Amino acid sequence: EPEVTQTPSHQVTQMGQEVILRCVPISNHLYFYWYRQILGQKVEFLVSFYNNEISEKSEIFDDQFSVERPDGSNFTLKIRSTKLEDSAMYFCASSDRQHNSPLHFGNGTRLTVT
Amino acid sequence: DAKTTQPPSMDCAEGRAANLPCNHSTISGNEYVYWYRQIHSQGPQYIIHGLKNNETNEMASLIITEDRKSSTLILPHATLRDTAVYYCIVRVAGQGGSEKLVFGKGTKLTVNP
């Protein structure tokens, strides 16, 4: 069964450094999402992406964050200057059309900012 | 946005049916009810979704009341591997046609041997 894959599984970085989290969505999917989950807290929506542009973003997704689909298969989340509070699990998801198509999630990247 | 209410935790004996309730009294006519689960810190896993009819797949059954104000997810024969946090989500229509999922706190289901 096709799945969303994320790399790396664990990323450790120093405060102020840039990180890029990578995702390969399911191949025929058109809609892409990033979520995050701080330890012990809810899964939070960050951003959705369709047709090479952001469809919606949350208040969390400030100017330090950006997303890109650099080629036909990858979908990336960049954090320009990481802060301690960016430490979290980051989940990528994709879906194949609007309305009743479910989102399929990857197993996440654990980002640790020291 | 329609909101959901779930009990924070439930227990179930292995081999028994697990019935997880969800209230969504403000759901709109074109909003679907989705169920996901999260095992440990893995990514949320899609289980099932429905609009107004009851649905069944290889993982679970979804029973939606006639007025659509509540639903129940049924795991017919729970196993230890079904221990997870279960999320009931009413899917909202986001800007630009994207339809994000908004996660609540869910129900922590513990399946006991």
Side-chain angles (χ1 to χ4, degrees):
Chain A
E1 184 176 331
E3 58 183 24
V4 176
T5 57
Q6 292 186 243
T7 55
S9 57
H10 191 189
Q11 173 90 47
V12 181
T13 189
Q14 289 190 326
M15 194 168 51
Q17 295 296 306
E18 174 184 286
V19 293
I20 297 175
L21 309 182
R22 303 181 190 279
C23 169
V24 179
I26 295 173
S27 63
N28 62 339
H29 284 189
L30 302 176
Y31 300 89
F32 313 111
Y33 310 81
W34 283 102
Y35 284 76
R36 80 170 186 190
Q37 186 175 33
I38 296 170
L39 186 64
Q41 298 187 24
K42 294 189 292 186
V43 178
E44 301 175 289
F45 169 77
L46 291 178
V47 66
S48 57
F49 189 87
Y50 168 70
N51 200 25
N52 284 320
E53 61 183 27
I54 291 173
S55 303
E56 185 178 358
K57 59 184 180 180
S58 71
E59 292 179 354
I60 303 167
F61 194 89
D62 61 22
D63 292 343
Q64 294 296 322
F65 291 88
S66 62
V67 289
E68 193 178 29
R69 188 154 164 81
D71 52 43
S73 59
N74 291 284
F75 180 52
T76 62
L77 175 69
K78 182 191 292 185
I79 308 174
R80 185 163 43 235
S81 178
T82 51
K83 303 186 281 282
L84 294 176
E85 53 265 39
D86 293 328
S87 295
M89 286 290 292
Y90 288 81
F91 297 109
C92 173
S94 66
S95 64
D96 65 1
R97 65 181 186 275
Q98 297 182 41
H99 301 300
N100 64 342
S101 173
L103 274 66
H104 295 273
F105 287 80
N107 273 329
T109 293
R110 180 176 298 282
L111 177 65
T112 302
V113 182
T114 61
Chain B
D1 297 351
K3 295 181 180 177
T4 63
T5 304
Q6 299 179 254
S9 64
M10 292 184 64
D11 283 274
C12 177
E14 189 178 17
R16 297 294 195 121
N19 298 283
L20 293 94
C22 179
N23 287 319
H24 31 78
S25 59
T26 60
I27 193 170
S28 299
N30 61 348
E31 289 179 318
Y32 285 74
V33 179
Y34 283 76
W35 283 84
Y36 280 77
R37 72 181 182 183
Q38 188 175 27
I39 298 171
H40 256 292
S41 292
Q42 294 178 23
Q45 179 188 21
Y46 166 74
I47 301 172
I48 199 167
H49 73 281
L51 183 63
K52 51 186 175 183
N53 297 322
N54 297 337
E55 302 288 338
T56 295
N57 63 19
E58 64 279 3
M59 289 183 69
S61 295
L62 173 60
I63 309 298
I64 302 174
T65 57
E66 193 168 339
D67 63 8
R68 304 214 317 127
K69 293 184 177 181
S70 65
S71 60
T72 302
L73 179 74
I74 301 172
L75 308 178
H77 306 286
T79 71
L80 299 179
R81 287 176 295 178
D82 292 322
T83 292
V85 178
Y86 286 76
Y87 300 99
C88 170
I89 302 169
V90 171
R91 191 162 185 192
V92 300
Q95 301 166 14
S98 67
E99 296 178 5
K100 68 185 183 220
L101 297 168
V102 178
F103 288 81
K105 295 183 179 179
T107 296
K108 168 68 175 172
L109 175 70
T110 302
V111 181
N112 300 305

